[in-house]
Amino acid sequence: MSQWARVFNAGGQILGRTFETYDQDLQRKGMEKAGFVDITVKEFYIPVGVWHQDKELAEKGLWWKVCLEADLEEYLNYIFNVVMGWTPEQTAVYAKHLRKEMNDPNIHAFFKACAVYGRKPHPGEVTA
């Protein structure tokens, strides 16, 4: 599963774009650049699958896994095939391996998600 991020990040570098939105704090920086104040960043870790002991997180993990599995090849095809030069057969083998890992209860994978919000300053409000 960890290969997914490495390949996507390498593909982003080739394209001159980043897929490291959270790690580079791009959402908060974009909000600041747009003039927002009182910016709040909330990070979430979403399990992949039902391995988490917390029932609510296990349910979220189930739905996240279902979404990933439903469109897995579509997520992979452009970056893996067109940008990184993998063959469709290589990508299909990787997708099969990834599905197997997503369904392995001994692998406790998760995705990081982030919500960022703020407010525009009031008219005449002085901001630093």
Side-chain angles (χ1 to χ4, degrees):
M1 249 188 224
S2 63
Q3 185 177 10
W4 171 316
R6 287 194 301 272
V7 175
F8 263 83
N9 291 339
Q13 288 178 346
I14 290 169
L15 293 170
R17 301 283 185 192
T18 185
F19 291 108
E20 298 178 83
T21 305
Y22 306 141
D23 294 335
Q24 294 179 10
D25 200 21
L26 297 179
Q27 291 172 298
R28 184 190 53 76
K29 290 175 184 175
M31 296 281 286
E32 286 175 349
K33 187 176 179 181
F36 285 85
V37 297
D38 297 335
I39 297 169
T40 301
V41 178
K42 294 197 176 209
E43 292 183 345
F44 305 91
Y45 293 89
I46 304 168
V48 179
V50 296
W51 57 264
H52 205 283
Q53 291 179 347
D54 179 284
K55 285 187 183 254
E56 184 177 326
L57 286 173
E59 182 176 356
K60 288 177 183 177
L62 171 65
W63 289 110
W64 186 242
K65 183 179 81 72
V66 167
C67 289
L68 284 175
E69 286 183 326
D71 292 325
L72 188 58
E73 283 79 5
E74 288 75 17
Y75 291 131
L76 303 175
N77 279 336
Y78 182 73
I79 294 293
F80 281 57
N81 296 0
V82 177
V83 177
M84 300 303 292
W86 288 33
T87 66
E89 293 77 18
Q90 288 171 315
T91 302
V93 168
Y94 176 70
K96 183 178 179 179
H97 177 74
L98 192 55
R99 275 196 176 87
K100 183 178 176 184
E101 286 185 335
M102 280 194 269
N103 289 293
D104 184 340
N106 297 311
I107 296 177
H108 293 181
F110 63 88
F111 274 83
K112 182 178 176 181
C114 191
V116 180
Y117 59 91
R119 66 174 181 83
K120 282 287 195 175
H122 300 294
E125 181 180 353
V126 179
T127 60

